[in-house]
Amino acid sequence: MNEENTDGTNGYSKVRTGTQNEAALLALMEKTGYNMVQENGQRKFGGPPPGWEGPPPPRGCEVFVGKIPRDMYEDELVPVFERAGKIYEFRLMMEFSGENRGYAFVMYTTKEEAQLAIRILNNYEIRPGKFIGVCVSLDNCRLFIGAIPKEKKKEEILDEMKKVTEGVVDVIVYPSATDKTKNRGFAFVEYESHRAAAMARRKLIPGTFQLWGHTIQVDWADPEKEVDEETMQRVKVLYVRNLMISTTEETIKVEFSKFKPGAVERVKKLRDYAFVHFFNREDAVAAMSVMNGKCIDGASIEVTLAKPVNKENTWRQHLNGQISPNSENLIVFANKEESHPKTLGKPPTLPARLNGQHSPSPPEIERCTYPFFPGTKLTPISMYSLKSSHFNSAVMHLDYYCNKNNWAPPEYYLYSTTSQDGKVLLVYKIIIPAIANGSQSYFMPDKLCTTLEDAKELAAQFTLLHLAQAPDAQAQ
C-alpha cells in the first residue's frame, strides 16, 4: 500500500495513509465477501465471487477501464462498477510504489452487464474533472508479424511459427494486391490462448529474433470489432476480399447479380476489396453462400457479412490504445484485418459543438475530383470560411477549431527516440496557447510513429479528443 493518498471523491479531500487504505480494502472484502490477492503486478478482487459455481463467464463479459486516477482503489471503484451488475472479477494493475497504473479490467457475469457498464460508465466523471474510459476487453490471442519475406507461403509461415513459438493454432496470410502469388509482407498468427500469444510476443521482440534471416516486426493484432447479433441480423452488405485491382465495380455487380438479377443496389470498391450493398438481407446472405470462394478475373474471392462500425467509438478506442480505425470507416463498415495494423484512419468524429464552442464535425463531403475546364471562374477564399466537413485531416480540424474559437494556432513540437531495432520513432507535443495555463499545459499521445505525417495526425487526433473533455476549454 502507498503511504499517502489524496482522496477527492464525493466532494471531500483528505490524505489517506497506507493503514487507512488497507482498512478501506478490508472493509470492502468484509462487506462483499470477495477475496483479494495481489500477483504479477495486478490486484485481483473476486474471480470467482462468493458462492460461484461452474465455469467463468464467457468471452465478451469483460470491460477495460482507462484513465483511472492513480490514487484510487477498489473501495472506490467497485461500488461504481457494481451499478452495472454483478462483478465476477475486478483486476487493478499496480505499481511497486503502491499506486495503481491507471487502468483495470472488470469482468461481469453476463455480456449484458458488460455492455451496460460501457453505456453508463464510459466518460463517467469518477472525480471532479477526471473522466474514465470504458470499452469492451477481449483476450487477444492474435499477433501481427511484419517484415515477412513476400515469397513465403502460408504453410511455410505456419511451420516456422510452430517451430519458434508454442500454442500456434493458425496463420492468416493475405495475397498481395498487385501479385496474388506473393503475400503482403505481414501475417496474423493465432494462438490457443492469450498467455501463449503473450509468451510468443515476448520471445519475438524485434532486435532479438529473426525469421529467415530477417528482423521481424511483432505487435498485438488489433482485435476485430465485435458486433452484437441483433445488429448483424440487419446487415445487408457483403465484404468482398482478395479482388484484382483491375476488377471494376461493374464487373462485381454483374457477378453478384447472376443468381438474382436486380438484387444488388450498389458496389463500392477500394483497391482490392469491395462492399456489395443489397436491397434485401435474404439476397445478401444467399449471395454470400454462392459467391464465397468463386473466381472473379482469376482471383479467388472471400465473402463475408460486413460489420457495421460506430465511427466515434472506434476512434475514441483507438486513442485509448484499444483499437485502431482504418480507411474502411469512410464507408461505415470495417473488417480490421484488411488494413495494416499501424495505419492511421480517418479524422475524429466529434459533436458539432464542444461546451458551447465551435468544434470539428464529421466529414460529410465525398472525397473525389472533378475536371477543371479552361475559363472556369475561381474565387479567392479563406480556409476558415469553409465548413469543417471540408477538412479530412485532424491537423486541419484542429487548426480550424482554434481559429473558430479565436485562439492562436496550435504549436507543434517534434520529439524522437530510437526503437530496439534501430528505427527512428516520432511523436509531437501540441501546445494550445489559449489554454496553456490551465490544468492541461500540453497534449502528447502515448504512441510513437515511424513517419512525420502520422505523428502529426495522431497528435492532432489526441488533442481534439481531450479538448472535448477539458474543463479549461469551458472557461474560455
Side-chain angles (χ1 to χ4, degrees), residues 383-394:
M383 62 171 275
Y384 302 113
S385 67
L386 299 171
K387 295 180 180 180
S388 61
S389 58
H390 286 90
F391 306 120
N392 187 60
S393 78

Side-chain angles (χ1 to χ4, degrees), residues 66 149 422 427 462:
V427 65
F462 181 85

Side-chain angles (χ1 to χ4, degrees), residues 124-338:
Y124 175 77
E125 190 172 13
I126 195 93
R127 280 184 180 169
K130 301 295 183 181
F131 298 84
I132 57 173
V134 182
C135 63
V136 67
S137 168
L138 298 175
D139 287 334
N140 202 343
C141 300
R142 185 174 294 178
L143 294 183
F144 164 82
I145 310 293
I148 290 176
K150 293 187 176 182
E151 68 276 6
K152 296 298 179 182
K153 306 297 183 186
K154 173 178 177 174
E155 293 74 19
E156 295 177 273
I157 299 171
L158 180 61
D159 289 343
E160 192 68 18
M161 294 308 300
K162 285 184 174 180
K163 288 178 185 176
V164 299
T165 60
E166 297 181 358
V168 175
V169 175
D170 192 18
V171 168
I172 302 167
V173 183
Y174 296 117
S176 167
T178 55
D179 185 349
K180 299 301 181 183
T181 65
K182 296 182 178 180
N183 69 63
R184 298 192 178 192
F186 64 87
F188 297 95
V189 183
E190 188 80 23
Y191 289 86
E192 62 186 14
S193 66
H194 175 74
R195 176 175 173 79
M199 296 300 290
R201 179 174 176 266
R202 184 179 302 176
K203 182 177 181 179
L204 299 173
I205 290 176
T208 65
F209 201 91
Q210 291 188 337
L211 289 178
W212 302 291
H214 291 74
T215 299
I216 57 172
Q217 301 170 7
V218 182
D219 204 347
W220 289 109
D222 293 329
E224 287 189 83
K225 176 71 175 180
E226 285 210 343
V227 182
D228 64 89
E229 189 173 340
E230 183 181 350
T231 300
M232 288 303 295
Q233 288 296 325
R234 298 193 298 268
V235 172
K236 51 184 180 180
V237 180
L238 297 182
Y239 172 66
V240 185
R241 181 172 25 221
N242 199 33
L243 292 162
M244 299 294 290
I245 289 182
S246 58
T247 299
T248 65
E249 291 179 351
E250 183 58 32
T251 297
I252 298 169
K253 186 173 183 178
V254 169
E255 291 292 331
F256 276 80
S257 298
K258 282 182 177 179
F259 84 103
K260 186 177 179 180
V264 176
E265 178 186 3
R266 60 190 172 93
V267 175
K268 180 67 176 179
K269 181 173 184 280
L270 295 91
R271 197 167 168 79
D272 64 338
Y273 60 94
F275 293 88
V276 183
H277 297 249
F278 286 79
F279 289 106
N280 299 308
R281 173 179 167 79
E282 294 75 17
D283 293 337
V285 174
M288 176 175 66
S289 176
V290 171
M291 295 300 296
N292 187 39
K294 295 289 186 181
C295 282
I296 297 181
D297 291 342
S300 178
I301 62 172
E302 296 178 28
V303 185
T304 59
L305 285 171
K307 293 183 178 182
V309 166
N310 181 319
K311 292 183 280 186
E312 179 173 358
N313 287 346
T314 298
W315 181 71
R316 288 177 181 272
Q317 289 173 351
H318 164 59
L319 292 182
N320 282 331
Q322 294 300 296
I323 186 170
S324 298
N326 60 59
S327 59
E328 292 165 21
N329 286 353
L330 289 168
I331 48 180
V332 194
F333 289 89
N335 283 270
K336 182 68 208 90
E337 292 172 350
E338 185 57 44

Side-chain angles (χ1 to χ4, degrees), residues 395-466:
V395 173
M396 296 301 294
H397 272 270
L398 181 58
D399 191 270
Y400 180 87
Y401 172 67
C402 290
N403 179 271
K404 288 299 182 182
N405 287 291
N406 297 313
W407 294 350
E411 298 174 2
Y412 291 81
Y413 297 89
L414 182 63
Y415 296 87
S416 72
T417 186
T418 304
S419 67
Q420 291 182 327
D421 57 345
K423 289 184 178 178
V424 175
L425 303 178
L426 306 170
V427 65
Y428 270 101
K429 177 173 76 175
I430 296 180
I431 293 178
I432 309 292
I435 60 173
N437 294 326
S439 60
Q440 180 104 29
S441 58
Y442 67 89
F443 302 90
M444 181 182 286
D446 59 356
K447 304 290 183 184
L448 300 164
C449 298
T450 55
T451 69
L452 195 68
E453 293 85 357
D454 286 354
K456 196 167 187 178
E457 183 74 4
L458 181 61
Q461 288 181 347
F462 181 85
T463 303
L464 284 165
L465 174 62
H466 284 266

Side-chain angles (χ1 to χ4, degrees), residues 36-48:
M36 187 180 296
V37 61
Q38 184 164 334
E39 59 182 12
N40 299 326
Q42 62 180 341
R43 195 156 60 199
K44 293 183 179 180
F45 174 81

